Amino acid sequence: INPDIVRNNFIVTNKSQESKKDEFNIENSLLGKNNYDLHLNDSIKDIKFMDLVFYAPAKKDTKVVNLYDNIKFDEFKFDKILKLKKQSETLNDLELYNNIKLHDETNIFQYNAQGANLINSLNPSFEDGLWEKEVGNCQMEEDIPDISMSSSRDSSEGNKSLMLSSNNGNACTYKTFSIPISSDKSYMLRFDYKNIKGAKIQYYYKLSNDYGKNQEGSKIIDVNDNQWHNYQEIIDPAFNANKLTMYFYARSDQGGATVNLYDNLGLFEFMPKDLYSYYLYTTQKVDESSKLKSIEFKSINLWKDFVVLHGVKDASLLFFPELYSENWKAYPIKSQVESGEFLKSLDKYSVPDVESNRQATRDEVQSMLDQKLISASGSKFVSKNFDGSIRNDNLPDGWFGQTWGKATIPEDTHYEVNNYSNSWWVDVDALCKQQNICHKNDDGTYDISLVIENKYNHWLFLALLISGATLLSCLGYLGYDFARRRKNKSNLISPQPPHRPTSPRNSHSLVSSHNSHPPRHEKPHQPRRM
């Protein structure tokens, strides 16, 4: 009961404020009779009394008799309230309320229910006999089932357990327990079971109330042995209930016999649902301004990006919208902003009409340069400033081996965010003050250059290098072979040396060496007859 909420939100009456406790008539107040002025949001200066009403409401001819006892009204206090005054204050093993501690990493809060079995007095373990006199038939078929139910001395706790047997049907039994069940709490349902034959355990439960609301649950459990086992299930009531109905089964499948034992049924308060509503807060003033001026980037290929963080004031989390993988690495590199190496003339810079909605104009690019939001300029694409994110294709590609052997941002600060993308914790002190690879601006902020690269990019370039070397070797060999063959052919068809007088024998030999046919002998010249 929060008095402030009562003062400001509940319906109150002027009459109740002015009267004494023995003069207040709750019936008239509930009925809203005219002698009480009902109104909302009228703050009460001080609550002087509390009215508590008990009922025994009869319905028509039904008689209702209720008993009430043991009324308490106590003040609730926190044992300890911890205030975190500084953001840099370590959270290691800080003791909070009720022996809860915060650690540097994942914090798990365990709540142990201390309540007893809510149905402990209602024969949950069959020590006082069976729930029903006769076994139930839950098969609902016309054939006469061969089913049975009995009490067994084989129990998990106590002296007795329930035995259900079935040869051609579905033997079942049930019991309805009248107990209060609150929608503000979750409950643990548990029981012990043992399968003798059939390898199937089956149960069903139903929460219900007097207004016709029902919540059901059931499960078939496969069993691999004939030992006692304990089953547990968390129940999350969707409404306030006052009845729990529990069924146990022994169902035979395709004529096979099934024999099951059940024992030690329990329902326990598991934990309050409000537990998930608790949170830590601090009255510390937090600087909600941006921790940097802009993020300038260029996508070099599918596996490599170049990023420049401008005007970084403090450590922050950098998001990288690619599917999370440990293969993605962030490499800090020496800043080249100060040298102005990438600043080129804007004379050839132009914006096509199709890009006018996302590409920055020449004046906008010049304004970004003046504000030191970008570090490169030229004729290539520069996007507009979208919430501090600027794509700039004038940034350098870098050579493929620029990250080989370089240190990365530590992997223990590489996180998955939004169940999808990568992020890295960029520690300004570690990168800029200790490693001295950043550019410090006049206002005390830093510009940090990063190469975000997938490690497979290294293997890609190595494969291309090997492939290129292999290709050059092949081309070199083919060129050498071509030159060698051309030289040999040239030697074969080279021109004959000048004619020298030779003997007929030598001349005949020369001709025969170049022709496959013997020399042709011409006939001697004969004079023409007139």
Side-chain angles (χ1 to χ4, degrees), residues 336-348:
Q336 296 174 291
V337 174
E338 187 174 4
S339 64
E341 179 182 351
F342 314 126
L343 297 176
K344 308 295 181 183
S345 173
L346 294 176
D347 293 341
K348 296 183 179 180

Side-chain angles (χ1 to χ4, degrees), residues 380-419:
K380 297 182 180 179
F381 179 92
V382 179
S383 75
K384 294 181 179 295
N385 186 352
F386 294 107
D387 296 327
S389 180
I390 304 170
R391 171 186 159 188
N392 189 352
D393 289 348
N394 297 286
L395 287 170
D397 291 343
W399 70 292
F400 68 88
Q402 73 178 126
T403 60
W404 289 8
K406 300 288 186 181
T408 68
I409 292 180
E411 189 59 31
D412 58 359
T413 61
H414 179 196
Y415 308 105
E416 180 181 5
V417 292
N418 299 328
N419 293 323

Side-chain angles (χ1 to χ4, degrees), residues 205-330:
Y205 76 85
K206 180 177 71 173
L207 304 180
S208 58
N209 61 20
D210 295 335
Y211 303 100
K213 290 186 177 182
N214 297 305
Q215 179 176 329
E216 302 172 325
S218 63
K219 189 174 182 179
I220 297 177
I221 306 171
D222 294 326
V223 186
N224 299 321
D225 56 42
N226 303 118
Q227 305 299 321
W228 279 103
H229 297 276
N230 178 258
Y231 176 81
Q232 297 180 354
E233 178 182 353
I234 304 302
I235 298 178
D236 184 6
F239 53 86
N240 291 335
N242 57 5
K243 295 183 182 67
L244 167 67
T245 301
M246 191 71 189
Y247 277 80
F248 288 125
Y249 302 91
R251 180 174 182 172
S252 61
D253 293 327
Q254 300 178 353
T258 298
V259 179
N260 292 331
L261 300 180
Y262 297 94
D263 196 8
N264 198 26
L265 175 66
L267 185 70
F268 301 84
E269 291 185 4
F270 181 64
M271 65 188 305
K273 294 183 182 179
D274 288 343
L275 189 65
Y276 298 106
S277 300
Y278 289 109
Y279 59 92
L280 298 175
Y281 70 96
T282 175
T283 56
Q284 170 193 351
K285 292 183 179 180
V286 179
D287 183 6
E288 297 181 357
S289 61
S290 177
K291 293 188 176 182
L292 74 169
K293 288 183 179 180
S294 67
I295 300 177
E296 181 186 18
F297 69 95
K298 177 182 181 179
S299 181
I300 299 172
N301 57 45
L302 290 176
W303 287 346
K304 183 179 180 181
D305 282 44
F306 183 50
V307 179
V308 182
L309 309 178
H310 291 277
V312 181
K313 296 188 296 183
D314 198 0
S316 58
L317 199 63
L318 174 66
F319 291 85
F320 181 64
E322 287 288 345
L323 181 62
Y324 175 82
S325 171
E326 293 181 354
N327 294 327
W328 284 107
K329 309 292 182 181

Side-chain angles (χ1 to χ4, degrees), residues 18-35:
E18 298 171 357
S19 63
K20 296 181 180 179
K21 182 175 181 180
D22 55 357
E23 296 177 353
F24 183 71
N25 189 324
I26 186 65
E27 180 180 359
N28 290 336
S29 178
L30 292 175
L31 296 177
K33 293 188 176 181
N34 295 331
N35 58 334

Side-chain angles (χ1 to χ4, degrees), residues 16 35 57 87 89 123 125 153 177 202 215 246 282 289 301 317 354 364-365 381 383 412 467 490 526:
S16 64
N35 58 334
Q87 186 175 1
E89 183 175 352
N123 191 25
S125 58
R153 290 290 181 179
F177 303 91
Q202 185 177 0
Q215 179 176 329
M246 191 71 189
T282 175
S289 61
N301 57 45
L317 199 63
V354 295
E364 288 173 334
V365 173
F381 179 92
S383 75
D412 58 359
S467 300
S490 175
Q526 296 182 359

Side-chain angles (χ1 to χ4, degrees), residues 423-442:
S423 68
W424 288 271
W425 183 253
V426 180
D427 190 338
V428 176
D429 290 340
L431 297 178
C432 303
K433 298 180 181 179
Q434 298 176 16
Q435 301 181 31
N436 195 29
I437 61 174
C438 311
H439 168 67
K440 189 172 183 179
N441 300 309
D442 296 337

